[in-house]
Amino acid sequence: MPVRVASKSVRVRSLVARAAGHGFAGVMAYSVREALWLVSEGVRDVLVGYPTVDRESLATLAADVTARAEITLMVDDVAHLGLIADADQAAGANGSANARPIQVCLDVDCSLRVGAGALTAHLGTRRSPLREPGDVAALATVAQARGLAVRGLMFYEAQVAGLPDTSPAVRLVKHLTMREVNDRRVRILAAVRDALGQEVELVNAGGTGSIEVSGGAPGVTEVTAGSGLYTPGLFDGYRSFRPRPASFFGLDVVREPAPGWVTAFAGGYVASGKAGAARVPRLFTPGYALNGPEGVGEVQTPLRVTRGASGAGLRIGDRVWLRHAKAGEMMERFDQVHLVRGDKVVETVPTYRGEHKNFG
């Protein structure tokens, strides 16, 4: 089963390329601007994971022969198709369009819905409005009629891939989700095949947290993963694999406000999503804990010695190590990262932020 690397969860071009050399096939980008940049740097087979209304980027893609061949756009609404078709038509009018159609992928809702009517509970992310076979097939028909190539479908089970196994209830939600999505996927693929007159080439599913179940699901041709390459704090609660963290950031100790306390500079790198303890960085340096009332701060992060800790003894000028709650999001804070083997820095490479400032 091919694994497509999610660049959003890496955001370091050299590491995205390195993943491709270690068994990953293709890249899932998070914006058209990023996809265009990656293709210009030699990356191939880029699936944009989210719809876009960036007309400038669409115009650039439509006028670029290589981009048309290597980039697949995500859609879930007729409005998206209209923007893409307009860019395609303009490129043709300017004599720049290639005969190859622009490729699109339809994003299908994989949330779990429990109950009926007004009492229905929506478990999962609010992504695509496409859910039932008829809706997906109808949009595929419109896309084909507008001269676009329907390359595939995406089924991202966010409540399976993105939730730690914290309770029996969560594990039940994951089980019920996969059972429902697997059944619906088969019916959707059949409806799209009938609408287009052929099978789609690409059926994407999953993420790091669901790769072992999504990879064996009926109809799936590839899975996506990226966060697992860094293994951020949010993965500590998963039972499907044993985390081995690979990404850390360091803060310098600048104060000793009281016995048993040190204060590090900055550190308020809270992850996106619902605010709470799960979004706060995890300490990697042993013997210390965050201060509950303050947490991590914009300009300072107090740390206290934990009871019974052995080896604690940070002083001014020392460095404390932490892990971000998410993966690639951390890379938006820095211009470069250091690749370490053993106790030696073997290479220093730029992040996306260090190479290119504007992905929109």
Side-chain angles (χ1 to χ4, degrees):
M1 177 64 63
V3 180
R4 184 179 294 273
V5 62
S7 66
K8 177 179 72 70
S9 300
V10 180
R11 304 196 201 193
V12 179
R13 184 169 58 88
S14 66
L15 298 184
V16 170
R18 182 173 299 191
H22 285 77
F24 286 78
V27 172
M28 179 178 284
Y30 63 90
S31 74
V32 180
R33 288 179 184 269
E34 181 208 8
L36 289 167
W37 174 62
L38 290 174
V39 168
S40 74
E41 294 292 329
V43 177
R44 295 295 176 258
D45 187 12
V46 181
L47 172 64
V48 181
Y50 306 87
T52 185
V53 294
D54 184 346
R55 290 175 171 82
E56 182 180 350
S57 294
L58 289 175
T60 301
L61 184 152
D64 188 305
V65 173
T66 303
R68 293 174 71 106
E70 300 298 339
I71 295 174
T72 302
L73 300 173
M74 193 64 62
V75 299
D76 62 35
D77 196 288
V78 172
H80 300 144
L81 300 179
L83 290 171
I84 297 169
D86 287 348
D88 195 20
Q89 184 177 10
N94 293 330
S96 302
N98 183 262
R100 182 179 183 127
I102 294 177
Q103 303 173 100
V104 297
C105 179
L106 279 58
D107 189 356
V108 180
D109 174 48
C110 290
S111 61
L112 179 65
R113 297 183 182 178
V114 181
L119 299 178
T120 301
H122 181 105
L123 305 177
T125 56
R126 296 286 183 177
R127 291 173 65 96
S128 173
L130 299 177
R131 184 172 180 88
E132 298 304 325
D135 297 330
V136 182
L139 190 64
T141 301
V142 174
Q144 188 178 62
R146 295 196 174 188
L148 306 176
V150 180
R151 185 184 178 201
L153 307 173
M154 182 172 76
F155 297 81
Y156 177 52
E157 320 91 332
Q159 67 276 21
V160 180
L163 282 180
D165 299 303
T166 53
S167 70
V170 170
R171 293 191 287 275
L172 177 62
V173 166
K174 291 186 175 186
H175 171 73
L176 293 176
T177 294
M178 293 308 302
R179 187 173 67 180
E180 191 277 332
V181 170
N182 287 346
D183 174 71
R184 187 155 46 90
R185 185 189 299 110
V186 171
R187 292 186 285 115
I188 288 173
L189 289 174
V192 171
R193 180 187 62 234
D194 292 343
L196 298 179
Q198 62 184 27
E199 302 279 1
V200 293
E201 167 195 345
L202 181 156
V203 182
N204 181 280
T208 293
S210 67
I211 193 170
E212 77 287 354
V213 291
S214 298
V220 173
T221 65
E222 64 173 40
V223 292
T224 298
S227 297
L229 296 174
Y230 291 156
T231 314
L234 284 176
F235 284 128
D236 289 353
Y238 281 78
R239 305 200 328 174
S240 57
F241 59 88
R242 184 171 61 191
R244 191 175 74 177
S247 177
F248 311 88
F249 66 94
L251 305 178
D252 294 329
V253 174
V254 293
R255 285 175 169 170
E256 293 185 66
W261 289 85
V262 295
T263 302
F265 183 71
Y269 308 140
V270 178
S272 61
K274 183 179 179 181
R279 262 49 187 180
V280 175
R282 275 69 161 166
L283 276 169
F284 188 74
T285 298
Y288 287 85
L290 294 173
N291 178 26
E294 292 189 66
V296 291
E298 179 185 7
V299 290
Q300 70 169 37
T301 296
L303 306 170
R304 59 176 174 81
V305 176
T306 56
R307 183 175 299 177
S310 60
L314 292 172
R315 296 290 181 264
I316 291 176
D318 290 342
R319 182 161 292 165
V320 59
W321 294 98
L322 302 93
R323 298 161 57 214
H324 199 258
K326 286 193 171 182
E329 196 171 302
M330 186 67 230
M331 301 308 162
E332 294 302 309
R333 299 281 184 170
F334 301 100
D335 288 340
Q336 61 184 25
V337 295
H338 304 289
L339 308 183
V340 179
R341 181 176 293 114
D343 61 354
K344 297 186 182 302
V345 174
V346 297
E347 189 177 357
T348 298
V349 296
T351 63
Y352 277 14
R353 167 176 147 157
E355 284 198 88
H356 197 295
K357 302 294 184 182
N358 183 21
F359 291 126

